[in-house]
Structures are given as C-alpha cells and as structure tokens.
Amino acid sequence: MDEFVLHEMERHDIPRVLEIERISFSEPWSESAFLNEILKSYALNRVAEKGNRIIGYICVNYILDEGHILNLAVHPDFRRQGIAAVLMSEAIHELRQQGCDYLYLEVRASNSVAKKFYERFGFGVAGIRKAYYTSPKEDAVIMMGRLKEAG
C-alpha cells in the first residue's frame, strides 16, 4: 500500500471530509457538525491524507475514562487497504494516553462489515438502541471495547 499520513483534522480539511461523508452515509454529518468537533477540547479528530487528498477520517469524543467513536469513514477508492485500521489503532493509542479505559460506538444493525471490523479490535455488543437511525429506520448496535490493559 502506498504511504499516507495522519494528522489532526483542521477547518480546511472539512470540505474534503464532507465528500467522503456524503458518499459513505445515508445520514451524513453537516459542515457545522465537523466544525463543532474540531473545536472541542475533549475530541480526537484525525484525517488520513495521501498526497493532497483526504482518504479517511475518525472523530472521537472522550471524557474521564470513556471514549465514543462518533464517525469513521474511508473513501470507497481506498477501502480494504488498512486505512480504517490505522485510524482506529491511532485513536485507541491516543485514548489510552488520555486515560480512557472503555470505547463505545453505535453501528447500524445491518452493517455486518463494520461490526466485524470493530470485533477485530476487541469490541463486543453492549446493547441495542431501538430506531436510532432514521434514513432508513433501523436499530443501532452499541459496541464497547475495553482499552485498559489486563493485569
């Protein structure tokens, strides 16, 4: 795989992030939603960039010992190349440094590819949010991963 770099998401990245967001999700975030995330002091927002092209991103909030993955996507042209795994690994590493022991996320109940992806990082099902998604209407599976090293 060709090289890419991770860096903190900045305001000027948002238009390129929105391109991926809109082709990846039926309920895409708005420009203001991403702007709100990059302005938070308790957020971790990273983009994967190859050349001058944003090819993926992750948005995570954290407080005390818990983190919450809000958004993760990779451009369709670059999927299945390990980019999401690098974004996840880096986020987990940084969250551990912030003192997080647990990491949560919601995923569409029908999204078996995403569920398997998170399971590879040790996530398991923690619950269901009924009718969490509206377009189309669908339940969310709440997944939780333990970040604290055993021992």
Side-chain angles (χ1 to χ4, degrees):
M1 180 179 60
D2 293 333
E3 290 297 311
F4 62 91
V5 295
L6 299 185
H7 63 81
E8 192 166 335
M9 187 184 297
E10 298 176 16
R11 183 185 298 253
H12 66 84
D13 295 322
I14 293 175
R16 296 181 293 160
V17 166
L18 282 170
E19 291 174 18
I20 299 169
E21 179 75 4
R22 289 177 181 141
I23 58 178
S24 297
F25 300 107
S26 62
E27 298 177 62
W29 280 16
S30 64
E31 181 176 1
S32 62
F34 281 104
L35 185 58
N36 287 337
E37 288 307 309
I38 66 173
L39 295 174
K40 288 179 182 175
S41 59
Y42 52 91
L44 183 154
N45 304 290
R46 300 290 180 269
V47 294
E49 189 170 19
K50 180 178 176 180
N52 282 334
R53 184 174 184 188
I54 301 292
I55 58 174
Y57 55 89
I58 190 168
C59 298
V60 183
N61 284 181
Y62 57 89
I63 187 164
L64 301 174
D65 67 344
E66 290 186 4
H68 189 161
I69 296 175
L70 303 175
N71 204 329
L72 170 61
V74 173
H75 190 283
D77 293 346
F78 296 92
R79 290 182 185 158
R80 299 202 176 278
Q81 296 180 31
I83 296 159
V86 171
L87 286 162
M88 273 294 291
S89 295
E90 182 65 21
I92 288 169
H93 174 75
E94 291 187 43
L95 290 167
R96 281 183 177 138
Q97 290 182 323
Q98 293 295 331
C100 289
D101 295 334
Y102 303 95
L103 184 55
Y104 296 89
L105 60 95
E106 291 87 14
V107 62
R108 283 187 178 273
S110 64
N111 193 342
S112 58
V113 171
K115 289 187 287 188
K116 284 182 177 137
F117 172 79
Y118 293 117
E119 286 168 358
R120 289 198 320 259
F121 286 90
F123 282 72
V125 174
I128 302 290
R129 291 194 200 277
K130 291 289 185 188
Y132 182 78
Y133 297 103
T134 58
S135 180
K137 188 173 181 176
E138 187 172 356
D139 295 346
V141 174
I142 303 165
M143 298 186 79
M144 189 266 297
R146 188 172 174 90
L147 303 184
K148 190 173 184 176
E149 302 291 339

